[in-house]
Amino acid sequence: EIPEWQVRMFHIGREAWFNLDTVNQTAAAVKARDIYLSLVSAGWPATLAKFKPSAPTKAKYCTLGEFLADVEKRSHPRPITVRRYAVTLRKIVADLGKVEAGLRGKAKRAKYDYVNGGHAAWLAKVDGQSLALLTPESLSGWRNAFVSKAGTDPVERKSAERSAASFLRCSRALFAADVLAMLKVAVPANPFAGVKIKDPGPQRYHSDVNPEWILACAERELRKDHAQQYLALVLCLWGGLRRKEADTLTWEQIDFAEGQIHIRRTPYFEPKTEESQRTVDLAPGVLDVLRAFKQGNKSEFVLEGGDANPAATYGYYRADCTWRELHAWLKGKGVTQQKAIHAILNIGANARGI
């Protein structure tokens, strides 16, 4: 059964089929008449151009996987930066390509299966999508759909707006002019150029966890029996150091005379931005803690751990066990945020009035 009417026309020794684009017999007859009259009055070229135009040739663009491989090979961003931005771009492309359409339950969770090949299969499917999917219209539509999934709850919608803006900003960085200029693969014009990324405004951090209470608990429960967790907590909570900054901090970066920590580029640490390089003033109590830990410590690093790996393309931490144990301890103290270590930075900043 043919869902739409078609007609075959004969005229001056030539014939062709025309799709009438309707299932309505009367409407189909009207269009067939118009085609015939056009043939008689205007001839084949004009009629074919009007009623049977050639399908536009789609531009041949590379796949997402080819694009990411070329970015990592030829452009200037650090491999770990490319990897992080690739996560956000894959999310967008997977949604636009409907890679997970119709999947439920175990089938949908298979992309997290790193053992039995589920993740590899998902990755291959996403990386096989053409960059032709990315247009200003499709990206704007993706953002609107992403936010709409949050429903009508104002808190959930604001969170979704922040997440969508973050996904778009990170993905957009891979299409920066200086990055695209170095690539050899065929890519479309920057699809993010026409996308307005709404600034959701500053986020005021709020927590019901009292930092003084957290530190008092740490004094009782961690300082003696879990000293490295205690030290990591002090560096983040009262020193205001990010996890990577604390993880690779060397004793040389601490000026005990001036009571300061110097966060700067070292052989083991690359700041996220130039603005991340800074001097942190320490309270006398924090200096006393650091002096106590320095006594007898022959390592160049403040925290105990493995070798530094600045070339890692994933979230590598020297003191990974310490951070995992501290994360679990914080969860037990009521820090409900998914990234508990990052949360205590904000808790400490609020307490210090920053």
Side-chain angles (χ1 to χ4, degrees):
E1 181 181 352
I2 300 176
E4 294 179 339
W5 288 95
Q6 294 179 314
V7 64
R8 183 166 61 172
M9 292 286 181
F10 294 87
H11 183 63
I12 56 174
R14 183 176 178 180
E15 67 176 277
W17 282 95
F18 291 86
N19 191 338
L20 301 177
D21 301 315
T22 181
V23 296
N24 184 282
Q25 186 174 13
T26 302
V30 171
K31 186 169 183 179
R33 180 203 62 193
D34 292 341
I35 295 172
Y36 173 75
L37 292 176
S38 176
L39 278 173
V40 172
S41 61
W44 278 106
T47 301
L48 289 173
K50 182 177 180 180
F51 293 100
K52 196 175 181 178
S54 300
T57 302
K58 293 185 178 180
K60 176 65 175 177
Y61 296 129
C62 67
T63 65
L64 174 61
E66 293 168 340
F67 171 73
L68 293 175
D70 211 35
V71 169
E72 187 168 352
K73 178 180 179 181
R74 303 181 188 281
S75 66
H76 62 82
R78 293 182 297 160
I80 191 171
T81 301
V82 174
R83 176 171 176 163
R84 287 172 177 168
Y85 291 169
V87 171
T88 64
L89 185 57
R90 283 192 175 107
K91 162 63 178 172
I92 294 173
V93 170
D95 287 349
L96 291 176
K98 303 186 186 305
V99 170
E100 299 174 34
L103 298 181
R104 297 289 185 274
K106 186 177 180 179
K108 191 168 186 177
R109 295 192 299 272
K111 66 179 179 180
Y112 303 113
D113 182 358
Y114 291 82
V115 177
N116 301 308
H119 178 72
W122 178 86
L123 204 62
K125 194 171 183 180
V126 176
D127 282 357
Q129 301 293 312
S130 170
L131 286 193
L133 284 172
L134 300 178
T135 66
E137 294 77 17
S138 67
L139 291 170
S140 296
W142 174 87
R143 176 192 56 206
N144 296 339
F146 186 92
V147 174
S148 294
K149 290 179 183 178
T152 58
D153 184 297
V155 175
E156 294 295 328
R157 286 188 67 86
K158 179 59 69 173
S159 176
E161 287 177 3
R162 293 184 189 282
S163 296
S166 177
F167 276 117
L168 290 169
R169 277 196 300 270
C170 291
S171 300
R172 181 178 62 184
L174 294 173
F175 288 83
D178 55 344
V179 173
L180 294 181
M182 303 299 295
L183 304 185
K184 300 298 184 182
V185 293
V187 298
N190 184 355
F192 293 86
V195 180
K196 292 183 179 180
I197 302 178
K198 181 180 179 182
D199 182 4
Q203 184 176 14
R204 294 292 298 172
Y205 181 81
H206 172 75
S207 175
D208 295 325
V209 178
N210 186 297
E212 286 82 4
W213 177 77
I214 283 281
L215 195 58
C217 291
E219 289 281 352
R220 293 193 307 269
E221 302 174 21
L222 300 180
R223 186 161 191 173
K224 181 180 178 181
D225 298 325
H226 305 282
Q228 287 299 301
Q229 293 179 51
Y230 176 79
L231 178 56
L233 177 68
V234 169
L235 289 173
C236 295
L237 183 63
W238 291 123
L241 272 63
R242 300 182 179 95
R243 178 161 51 164
K244 178 63 75 174
E245 294 169 346
D247 189 74
T248 56
L249 184 69
T250 63
W251 291 111
E252 187 182 49
Q253 292 174 257
I254 302 177
D255 186 338
F256 285 98
E258 296 295 329
Q260 296 176 329
I261 291 178
H262 300 284
I263 303 300
R264 62 174 184 268
R265 185 176 287 103
T266 72
Y268 316 113
F269 172 72
E270 177 68 28
K272 292 181 67 174
T273 65
E274 291 302 316
E275 290 74 20
S276 297
Q277 300 190 85
R278 64 197 188 281
T279 298
V280 178
D281 294 318
L282 300 175
V286 178
L287 284 170
D288 292 340
V289 170
L290 293 175
R291 286 193 183 96
F293 275 93
K294 192 175 189 304
Q295 290 181 358
N297 191 321
K298 296 183 179 180
S299 170
E300 65 178 316
F301 294 104
V302 175
L303 287 175
E304 295 177 2
D307 295 332
N309 185 8
T313 59
Y314 60 96
Y316 173 84
Y317 296 98
R318 296 179 46 259
D320 187 62
C321 289
T322 295
W323 294 116
R324 289 177 182 273
E325 291 166 357
L326 178 58
H327 180 274
W329 185 85
L330 289 167
K331 287 289 188 177
K333 296 304 174 187
V335 180
T336 58
Q337 286 80 359
Q338 183 178 2
K339 298 181 179 179
I341 304 295
H342 185 74
I344 62 172
L345 267 68
N346 293 316
I347 293 171
N350 284 355
R352 299 191 302 274
I354 297 176

